[in-house]
Amino acid sequence: MNSEFGTALADAFDLGAKYLAELSGKEGPDPIILGILVFIIGTLGTFTRFYPHIKKKYDYETVIFVLTFSLVVVSSYQIEDILQFAQRRITTILIGVSTVMVISMVVHPVWAGEDLVKLVSVNLEKLANSLEGLF
């Protein structure tokens, strides 16, 4: 869900970047404006990850935002239909998420049977040992 939000936000910024670049270009988007925008947004996105609050909660989303923004802006210089490209990007993410979920739940479940029981019992023993040390 968070990667979709990062992708959607980056796509919205991409539309604005392409619009700004087309305003200044005579025959399509101006590559210099696109390069400057990629540098500015990439720098801001990267440096916001250094704030502890953002790093703790939104680190992955920030990375997805910067990657998607850079990918779509650079490729929008050569692709005419940017909305179709953004739709393909979102579809690719949804396919990847569903594939990972199916494999994690059906093919090779992580929390299967005896492993879960062993993990819980070990953790409860650790908790009991630490509580015994307190009293």
Side-chain angles (χ1 to χ4, degrees):
M1 186 70 159
N2 292 336
S3 64
E4 284 86 9
F5 177 72
T7 301
L9 186 62
D11 289 339
F13 273 74
D14 291 329
L15 291 174
K18 185 168 183 178
Y19 178 73
L20 284 174
E22 285 180 350
L23 283 178
S24 62
K26 294 178 180 152
E27 298 176 10
D30 186 13
I32 295 173
I33 299 295
L34 289 176
I36 290 171
L37 289 173
V38 166
F39 177 76
I40 290 172
I41 298 294
T43 302
L44 290 175
T46 301
F47 282 116
T48 55
R49 292 179 58 212
F50 292 131
Y51 291 105
H53 176 71
I54 292 177
K55 182 153 185 78
K56 183 169 65 170
K57 288 187 174 185
Y58 307 111
D59 187 41
Y60 179 69
E61 292 81 5
T62 308
V63 171
I64 293 297
F65 170 78
V66 170
L67 289 175
T68 302
F69 179 79
S70 301
L71 174 73
V72 174
V73 165
V74 169
S75 63
S76 72
Y77 179 67
Q78 298 174 353
I79 295 175
E80 290 297 321
D81 191 9
I82 193 168
L83 292 176
Q84 182 182 13
F85 183 77
Q87 181 184 12
R88 285 185 192 159
R89 171 85 171 131
I90 291 173
T91 305
T92 304
I93 289 173
L94 290 175
I95 290 171
V97 167
S98 61
T99 303
V100 167
M101 289 180 73
V102 167
I103 289 173
S104 296
M105 293 175 157
V106 178
V107 177
H108 185 62
V110 176
W111 300 103
E114 199 172 316
D115 292 336
L116 178 62
V117 173
K118 287 179 182 177
L119 181 65
V120 170
S121 66
V122 167
N123 285 339
L124 285 175
E125 283 185 33
K126 288 180 185 177
L127 178 64
N129 290 337
S130 68
L131 289 176
E132 284 178 0
L134 291 176
F135 298 106

